[in-house]
């Protein structure tokens, strides 16, 4: 765990991004350091990862072509079965920039590459519905999010 929540970063101000499963697991476990989007963002800081209900069957195939640091592919770090990937808010990363020309192997041509670092997977997913674009979790989840983030608070 390398992610740290800074004192000025309040839980109720951290946006979430919904991704088709298993992309959140690839970010949290397999070194996916870029999120490809058709739009750029000015937001920088902690970003909650929400695993949506949709499953992308091409994600595991794509990850099987990305080498990881230990000479196995990134796909090794996640299950290929959608039933092994829960929905809800599953973790947090730090979004530190966006670039249309990232050299990352995860970067898709013609997209904005949101640059991610310091992934942290929650012990227990936080159930809630997702939304498009960046969105703020409902107020009733603030206490649950605080508990999940306690391990990464300073």
């Amino acid at each position: 765990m390398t992610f740290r929540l800074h004192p000025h970063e309040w839980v109720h101000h951290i946006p979430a991004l919904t991704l088709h499963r298993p992309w959140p697991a690839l970010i949290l476990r397999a070194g996916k350091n870029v999120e490809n989007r058709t739009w750029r963002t000015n937001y920088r800081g902690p970003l909650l990862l929400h695993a949506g209900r949709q499953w992308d069957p091409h994600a595991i195939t794509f990850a099987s072509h990305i080498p990881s640091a230990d000479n196995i592919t990134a796909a090794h770090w996640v299950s290929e079965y959608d039933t092994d990937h829960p929905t809800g808010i599953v973790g947090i990363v730090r979004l530190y920039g966006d670039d249309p020309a990232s050299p990352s192997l995860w970067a898709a041509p013609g997209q904005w590459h949101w640059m991610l670092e310091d992934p942290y997977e929650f012990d227990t997913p936080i159930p809630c519905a997702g939304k498009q674009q960046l969105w703020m979790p409902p107020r009733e989840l603030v206490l649950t999010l605080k508990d999940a983030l306690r391990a990464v608070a300073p």
Side-chain angles (χ1 to χ4, degrees):
M1 168 190 60
T2 58
F3 187 92
R4 282 284 174 228
L5 197 60
H6 301 297
H8 68 279
E9 295 172 329
W10 303 102
V11 171
H12 58 279
H13 288 119
I14 300 175
L17 181 67
T18 299
L19 305 168
H20 293 172
R21 295 171 302 130
W23 293 110
L26 290 166
I27 292 169
L28 295 168
R29 299 181 202 151
K32 184 176 187 283
N33 60 355
V34 164
E35 173 55 26
N36 298 292
R37 294 280 140 175
T38 57
W39 47 284
R40 70 178 310 181
T41 181
N42 292 324
Y43 176 76
R44 303 292 181 265
L47 180 65
L48 296 166
L49 296 179
H50 179 270
R53 286 184 278 173
Q54 296 276 356
W55 176 260
D56 183 348
H58 306 292
I60 300 296
T61 302
F62 185 84
S64 70
H65 298 289
I66 305 288
S68 64
D70 44 8
N71 294 326
I72 57 176
T73 69
H76 170 81
W77 300 105
V78 298
S79 171
E80 63 185 288
Y81 303 108
D82 64 340
T83 54
D84 293 336
H85 295 266
T87 60
I89 299 174
V90 294
I92 190 167
V93 295
R94 186 164 301 282
L95 170 61
Y96 68 92
D98 60 359
D99 184 345
S102 170
S104 172
L105 295 175
W106 295 99
Q111 301 281 303
W112 280 97
H113 309 133
W114 292 17
M115 296 176 291
L116 310 173
E117 63 185 0
D118 301 332
Y120 178 77
E121 187 170 9
F122 295 155
D123 291 336
T124 304
I126 301 168
C128 72
K131 297 180 184 178
Q132 293 186 345
Q133 303 288 327
L134 290 177
W135 54 276
M136 298 307 291
R139 285 193 167 274
E140 61 267 17
L141 292 183
V142 169
L143 290 177
T144 306
L145 285 168
K146 282 184 181 180
D147 285 344
L149 291 166
R150 197 171 314 277
V152 296

